[in-house]
Amino acid sequence: SWCIWPAWMPPLATGIAQSRHALAVLTGQPPAALDATLATAAPLPQPRATLALAADIGTAAEARALLDKAVAAVKANPAGALAQFAKGEGGFKDRDLYPFCGGPDGNFTAHPSLTGKSMKDLKDKADQPLGSKFYDQAKEGSVSEVAYMWPRPGSTDPVKKVSLVTKVGDQVCAVGYYQ
């Protein structure tokens, strides 16, 4: 006899296989050892300490949501919004996510540590032009991505970061997330 599989079975099987692989990577165990651990119902080894940082890192979707919130705030009250961005107040600081903006003069109008400094002349940690890319990519009503190398908070080692960039009136605003 033969069996008809429900439509959800192949994606479920794929998801289980991907989860098994991810769990093996996270625990540092080969899949066979992981299978033995799961079969005995013993507690799994704790993931490496560096993986605990994942909860402290914002996602692309969270960065986009924060950018949308920032755009609405700038449209409603530009001066008030920029002040909140610079201070990380009003819900505009979420772990490593924060909005930043630059004005028509090319200087940061809002940033946790760079307010008043040149945004247009900013370079990433690979010495590549960065601020000018923000200004070039920013368009009113649309969001662009600018990728660059930047250290995570508390680190000096540069990693890939992507900023979602848009223009709101005379402001170039963005929110960046680490990949």
Side-chain angles (χ1 to χ4, degrees):
S1 83
W2 56 281
C3 175
I4 299 175
W5 288 69
W8 51 264
M9 280 301 271
L12 177 62
T14 299
I16 290 170
Q18 290 172 341
S19 297
R20 182 176 168 267
H21 174 74
L23 195 53
V25 170
L26 289 173
T27 61
Q29 292 187 12
L34 182 61
D35 290 342
T37 301
L38 292 174
T40 62
L44 293 174
Q46 291 296 313
R48 294 182 198 118
T50 55
L51 296 175
L53 295 174
D56 297 331
I57 298 170
T59 66
E62 292 166 330
R64 177 58 191 258
L66 187 57
L67 180 62
D68 291 345
K69 179 180 174 180
V71 167
V74 171
K75 286 180 179 178
N77 178 359
L82 296 173
Q84 285 184 321
F85 301 168
K87 294 176 185 173
E89 296 176 347
F92 289 107
K93 174 83 170 82
D94 178 14
R95 296 161 296 168
D96 63 341
L97 301 176
Y98 54 87
F100 58 93
C101 299
D105 63 355
N107 292 328
F108 281 99
T109 52
H111 189 280
S113 60
L114 299 173
T115 300
K117 296 183 179 164
S118 177
M119 181 184 204
K120 259 197 169 163
D121 295 334
L122 186 68
K123 292 186 176 188
D124 75 0
K125 300 308 175 186
D127 205 35
Q128 296 298 309
L130 176 57
S132 59
K133 286 183 185 179
F134 292 149
Y135 277 86
D136 292 344
Q137 295 291 321
K139 305 282 185 266
E140 188 95 30
S142 69
V143 176
S144 299
E145 292 186 359
V146 176
Y148 53 100
M149 300 300 290
W150 204 260
R152 294 184 193 277
S155 174
T156 56
D157 298 327
V159 296
K160 187 174 180 184
K161 186 171 184 177
V162 175
S163 281
L164 305 176
V165 183
T166 191
K167 189 165 186 182
V168 188
D170 66 352
Q171 296 294 309
V172 170
C173 294
V175 174
Y177 65 94
Y178 293 93
Q179 289 190 320

